[in-house]
Amino acid sequence: DGGQTLTIAGGAGTTTFTGTIGGTTPLSTLSVVAFDIDVNAVVKTNGAINYTGSIINIGGNMTTASWTIGLSGPVMLSNAPTIDTTNTGLSSGATITFSNALDGATDLTLRSGTGAVVFNGIVGGSTPLTNVIFTTGAQAQIKNNFTVSGVNPLNLSIPVLITGTSTIALFDAID
């Protein structure tokens, strides 16, 4: 906790977070660069969150106060995370960017307010998400294939811009 910037250079190793980060007093910003990033914790900042890695495992909620969230590397989700740049609706929001593949047999809730949600890589290519929920956002930008499965798997309640050759596949898990 604390209103400071936290920068971690993990190199070829693994950086793991298991406890709440910025729960009482949000960090100013958080930047992690490591081969493997494992975040099974709630993360809250008043500034940007940026993760760069060869594999990024997200198992907890991420919240900023109108600052961007950037995930540069393949992302594997668990535990139905919410990724929120609106500080749970208290601020205007900012862009959420997935620069690479996004996978995980779980729900994902996205709240970007006036910002976009950008999917540059394949979504659900190896492990489809069960549900993607856009609670707020200026636009979803889809640059590649997008696959989800599950009951009510995709509700595009915000404008969508297809920026590349994409197939959107929805597979209902109900027999």
Side-chain angles (χ1 to χ4, degrees):
D1 282 337
Q4 304 296 316
T5 294
L6 178 59
T7 301
I8 297 174
T14 299
T15 299
T16 303
F17 295 103
T18 56
T20 300
I21 302 165
T24 303
T25 303
L27 296 176
S28 175
T29 62
L30 175 61
S31 177
V32 180
V33 177
F35 179 80
D36 185 357
I37 301 169
D38 295 322
V39 185
N40 291 306
V42 171
V43 176
K44 187 168 184 177
T45 69
N46 285 324
I49 298 173
N50 291 296
Y51 298 152
T52 302
S54 293
I55 184 66
I56 302 167
N57 296 297
I58 303 292
N61 297 342
M62 302 168 67
T63 303
T64 71
S66 291
W67 287 88
T68 60
I69 295 177
L71 303 171
S72 298
V75 174
M76 180 61 75
L77 300 174
S78 62
N79 302 322
T82 296
I83 299 177
D84 176 11
T85 60
T86 71
N87 195 18
T88 60
L90 299 176
S91 60
S92 59
T95 298
I96 300 168
T97 303
F98 298 93
S99 295
N100 207 307
L102 174 62
D103 288 293
T106 190
D107 293 355
L108 172 62
T109 301
L110 298 161
R111 183 180 298 126
S112 64
T114 58
V117 179
V118 180
F119 301 96
N120 286 324
I122 295 172
V123 175
S126 62
T127 308
L129 281 66
T130 55
N131 201 349
V132 179
I133 304 155
F134 297 90
T135 59
T136 64
Q139 183 179 74
Q141 297 175 13
I142 300 172
K143 189 174 186 175
N144 222 307
N145 294 344
F146 199 105
T147 304
V148 294
S149 64
V151 179
N152 303 317
L154 187 60
N155 181 358
L156 294 169
S157 58
I158 63 175
V160 176
L161 174 65
I162 307 293
T163 61
T165 303
S166 304
T167 299
I168 298 177
L170 311 174
F171 300 100
D172 191 344
I174 295 177
D175 294 11

